[in-house]
Amino acid sequence: MSQLTEHLDEKATADAQTQTEGKVTARDLRSVFWRSFTLQGSWNYERQQHMGCAFIMSPALRRIYNTREALSRALQRHLVLFNTTPHLSTFIFGLAIAMEEENRRNPEFNEESINAVKTSLMGPLAGIGDSIFWGSLKVIAAGMGIYFAQQGSVLGPVVALLVYNLPHLFCRWYGLKLGYRAGTTWLMRIYQSGLMDRVTYIASIVGLMVVGAMTATMIDIHTPLSFTTGNTTVKVQDFLDKILPSLLPLLFTLGMYKLIRKGVSINWVLLGTVAFGLLASALGIL
């Protein structure tokens, strides 16, 4: 009887360890929060905030995955293009952590859905965050600080920092908790309803739309070329815009993508872009 009791106790302990193994703790989330301030510390033109993203996620990933191979694969998964407003980025990290936990628990989980959801959220959150923090709150904080400074008060810089950073820190901390909690509940519900494949498909579409919008808005290429037919002067740029707006940025992006797919070094791509821009400008093509 005692042996049976010991066996049941050992089994219960093992089951409890299995259930809690890989579960992110409050300490891990605090570590992710503090690391989130380094998001742009290694910003680069190739994948922008991707190294910061992997660094921020690493405490949670180490807790979730207990093998070197699984941890390496997870870190590689978060080394893709990532760029959003840092103040709201923690919501995405919290959601991604919840999805990583589900990936650990569920062998049938689609790993591609993690980056699909990240990509679909980074654009909309960047639009909201840039408008609030860069476009509005920064101006308000600076205005209030300048007002006090003009009165000769030392409260000027203090007020400016508090007005800007209190909402910023609130959004950064509670965004992380909200993303993690909402992600856990959301994943459970969509799995129970069988909608995971559809969610992944929709997120992929939104992600592609975000990338397409970034191409059209962040790459500014125009040509001053024109030609005359009869008494009419036709600008080549106007003609191209009638065919497809932002056609030149699209062709340039596709060309860069093809070079990278062929294994051309990013450094050579950047140097070639600079040389091409200088030559095209000198010749009056661009």
Side-chain angles (χ1 to χ4, degrees):
M1 184 68 180
S2 61
Q3 292 179 350
L4 178 60
T5 303
E6 292 177 0
H7 174 73
L8 292 176
D9 290 342
E10 291 176 357
K11 187 176 185 303
T13 303
D15 290 342
Q17 290 176 349
T18 302
Q19 291 175 357
T20 57
E21 186 180 9
K23 182 71 173 178
V24 172
T25 64
R27 182 178 180 180
D28 297 326
L29 290 179
R30 287 195 297 270
S31 181
V32 169
F33 167 76
W34 289 115
R35 287 185 177 218
S36 69
F37 291 93
T38 68
L39 179 61
Q40 302 207 99
S42 57
W43 197 98
N44 60 86
Y45 285 102
E46 181 183 358
R47 301 182 190 179
Q48 300 184 359
Q49 298 169 343
H50 74 297
M51 294 180 68
C53 176
F55 175 73
I56 293 165
M57 291 283 294
S58 59
L61 296 179
R62 288 194 184 97
R63 178 73 62 182
I64 296 170
Y65 300 104
N66 56 5
T67 65
R68 185 180 182 88
E69 293 75 15
L71 176 60
S72 176
R73 188 165 60 249
L75 287 172
Q76 288 289 336
R77 190 159 47 244
H78 292 283
L79 283 173
V80 298
L81 174 69
F82 185 79
N83 188 42
T84 193
T85 305
H87 314 71
L88 302 182
S89 63
T90 51
F91 177 82
I92 300 177
F93 297 141
L95 184 57
I97 290 170
M99 298 184 74
E100 292 287 0
E101 284 186 340
E102 182 63 26
N103 182 49
R104 165 72 190 276
R105 289 191 296 263
N106 188 351
E108 298 181 358
F109 187 86
N110 184 5
E111 294 181 350
E112 296 180 0
S113 63
I114 300 174
N115 277 329
V117 171
K118 282 175 56 182
T119 305
S120 66
L121 288 176
M122 67 182 190
L125 286 182
I128 296 172
D130 288 351
S131 299
I132 294 176
F133 290 98
W134 299 137
S136 300
L137 191 58
K138 182 175 69 173
V139 177
I140 294 173
M144 295 179 66
I146 291 171
Y147 172 79
F148 281 99
Q150 286 178 334
Q151 309 304 317
S153 174
V154 296
L155 290 177
V158 176
V159 169
L161 290 173
L162 289 177
V163 170
Y164 184 80
N165 283 294
L166 287 179
H168 157 219
L169 294 174
F170 178 87
C171 290
R172 193 181 285 264
W173 171 245
Y174 284 99
L176 175 63
K177 297 180 69 174
L178 177 63
Y180 179 67
R181 292 175 180 174
T184 304
T185 306
W186 172 68
L187 288 172
M188 186 178 299
R189 288 179 179 176
I190 64 173
Y191 262 108
Q192 290 175 350
S193 61
L195 293 176
M196 191 61 194
D197 291 338
R198 186 174 300 178
V199 170
T200 303
Y201 177 70
I202 294 173
S204 300
I205 293 176
V206 176
L208 291 173
M209 291 172 61
V210 170
V211 174
M214 290 173 62
T215 300
T217 57
M218 298 180 67
I219 302 177
D220 187 17
I221 300 178
H222 295 87
T223 176
L225 294 177
S226 62
F227 59 91
T228 303
T229 57
N231 296 325
T232 304
T233 300
V234 179
K235 295 183 178 180
V236 174
Q237 185 62 54
D238 294 339
F239 180 75
L240 293 176
D241 287 340
K242 291 179 180 179
I243 299 175
L244 180 65
S246 301
L247 177 60
L248 292 179
L250 175 61
L251 294 176
F252 179 81
T253 302
L254 292 176
M256 296 298 101
Y257 176 73
K258 187 173 182 179
L259 290 174
I260 294 173
R261 285 292 300 270
K262 286 187 174 182
V264 179
S265 171
I266 295 297
N267 292 330
W268 285 113
V269 171
L270 290 175
L271 291 174
T273 301
V274 173
F276 173 76
L278 293 173
L279 180 61
S281 177
L283 296 176
I285 300 175
L286 297 177

